[in-house]
Amino acid sequence: MLAFLRELERAGLNTWQASWSERLETDWLRYKQEGGKLQLLMLSRPVNDEPEMLKRAMKLKPMASGSTA
């Protein structure tokens, strides 16, 4: 995943759209820690009943979020 994100950057893209998952959380945080420059447009399942999930999602600092429901 990290190689893929770096390839997107090299291709000149500045934003990546992805659906929320625990893997996204792990990979995205590592990518950003390694200096990744992409912005994240995050698709997410409804989190109204899961405030902890919303907190985790916000740690990714998405530029926007939309529901897949």
Side-chain angles (χ1 to χ4, degrees), residues 37-69:
K37 305 255 187 273
L38 291 173
Q39 299 175 87
L40 176 62
L41 177 61
M42 187 172 60
L43 300 174
S44 62
R45 63 178 191 239
V47 293
N48 295 342
D49 296 329
E50 300 178 58
E52 186 58 36
M53 189 64 68
L54 179 58
K55 287 179 189 176
R56 288 173 63 186
M58 293 312 296
K59 285 182 182 178
L60 305 183
K61 298 183 181 174
M63 62 181 283
S65 178
S67 177
T68 58

Side-chain angles (χ1 to χ4, degrees), residues 3-16:
F4 172 72
L5 293 172
R6 286 189 285 274
E7 185 61 32
L8 293 178
E9 261 188 70
R10 281 191 292 275
L13 297 174
N14 67 1
T15 304
W16 179 50

